[in-house]
Amino acid sequence: MESLKQININVENKYFFFRRCLELLSIFLVSPLILILFLILTFIVFIDLRRNIIYKQIRVGMNGKPFTMYKFRTMKECPKCRNNYFAHQKERVTKLGDFLRKHKLDELPQVWNVMKGDMSIIGPRPEMIEAYFYFLNSIPDYSKRKIIPQGITGWAQVNYNHTLTVEGNSRKLEFDIFYINNLSLKLDLIILIKTMKTVFTGNNSE
């Protein structure tokens, strides 16, 4: 596994401050589009599931700090599966939910998490608490993916599919560490372009 280099903290902080300002400015500029899309998706998700449209879930953020993450609901209710990361059942996903997932539209409410400072647009994906401690105890250096802000999308997400296995998450950790070691505006732009391709085509979706 690629080792984590010593990062110049001053440079890192300057870049994250710059990116934070850029993220908030970008959200402000496209806020009318975000609002319209949010209202449309709110309506169709309500028609699809006839219940609460926003799904709230505790995730592990930067430095291991838990926070509440928001998503559009895409699955039918399953009390036994609630808060169980490893009980993902595809048959519970509605047809609309499957479409939203493929095109990453279920992640739109996380714009609020970005505005609150819980997340960044780009970074390692935050996991449920149960999953975090499971992989923390199973994968060496797994905690190192928490030294930077967690993201809606990231280098691991655009290069590797969703996985619940130790082997798969070990591979995704390599992508996360590569990202941390190569932080740059250029790499962030590449991730955004790859993410937008997924949004528009539904291909290579997590």
Side-chain angles (χ1 to χ4, degrees):
M1 181 179 296
E2 183 179 349
S3 62
L4 189 69
K5 297 182 297 188
Q6 290 294 324
I7 299 175
N8 186 321
I9 300 300
N10 291 326
V11 173
E12 177 186 329
N13 286 342
K14 288 179 181 178
Y15 177 67
F16 285 129
F17 176 76
F18 164 76
R19 194 176 72 175
R20 174 69 175 161
C21 293
L22 192 61
E23 285 177 344
L24 294 178
L25 177 61
S26 299
I27 291 173
F28 174 75
L29 292 176
V30 300
S31 56
L33 178 60
I34 292 175
L35 180 59
I36 292 172
L37 186 58
F38 185 87
L39 291 176
I40 293 173
L41 293 177
T42 294
F43 176 74
I44 60 177
V45 170
F46 178 76
I47 294 299
D48 185 47
L49 292 171
R50 298 288 182 178
R51 54 195 300 270
N52 294 336
I53 60 168
I54 300 297
Y55 181 65
K56 301 177 182 179
Q57 197 174 65
I58 302 298
R59 296 287 182 107
V60 180
M62 183 177 176
N63 296 324
K65 180 181 178 180
F67 70 97
T68 301
M69 193 183 78
Y70 306 96
K71 300 179 70 172
F72 276 120
R73 191 178 294 276
T74 59
M75 304 175 74
K76 300 174 183 177
E77 183 67 16
C78 176
K80 294 181 180 180
C81 304
R82 188 174 298 162
N83 296 325
N84 185 352
Y85 180 84
F86 301 98
H88 179 75
Q89 300 175 9
K90 290 187 176 181
E91 60 269 20
R92 291 176 53 215
V93 180
T94 66
K95 290 183 178 180
L96 173 63
D98 185 57
F99 175 85
L100 295 180
R101 285 172 173 237
K102 284 183 177 179
H103 294 271
K104 302 295 186 182
L105 295 174
D106 62 318
E107 313 286 357
L108 184 64
Q110 285 158 47
V111 170
W112 178 240
N113 286 119
V114 174
M115 293 177 65
K116 288 173 59 184
D118 296 327
M119 298 173 64
S120 182
I121 292 177
I122 299 173
R125 187 68 177 162
E127 324 88 323
M128 287 180 58
I129 294 177
E130 178 184 18
Y132 174 67
F133 284 107
Y134 176 78
F135 293 126
L136 184 66
N137 292 324
S138 304
I139 303 173
D141 297 327
Y142 191 76
S143 63
K144 290 181 177 179
R145 67 195 304 277
K146 297 296 179 185
I147 68 173
I148 65 171
Q150 309 293 275
I152 297 177
T153 186
W155 190 238
Q157 282 66 47
V158 299
N159 284 287
Y160 203 95
N161 290 332
H162 178 65
T163 176
L164 301 180
T165 69
V166 171
E167 180 182 2
N169 278 279
S170 295
R171 181 63 180 136
K172 293 187 80 169
L173 177 61
E174 293 180 18
F175 285 111
D176 285 331
I177 291 180
F178 174 87
Y179 175 74
I180 294 170
N181 284 336
N182 295 276
L183 286 167
S184 68
L185 181 59
K186 179 180 178 180
L187 183 55
D188 280 347
L189 289 175
I190 291 173
I191 294 170
L192 285 176
I193 291 172
K194 285 179 173 288
T195 301
M196 292 310 297
K197 287 182 179 179
T198 297
V199 170
F200 284 110
T201 67
N203 296 329
N204 300 320
S205 182
E206 180 185 4

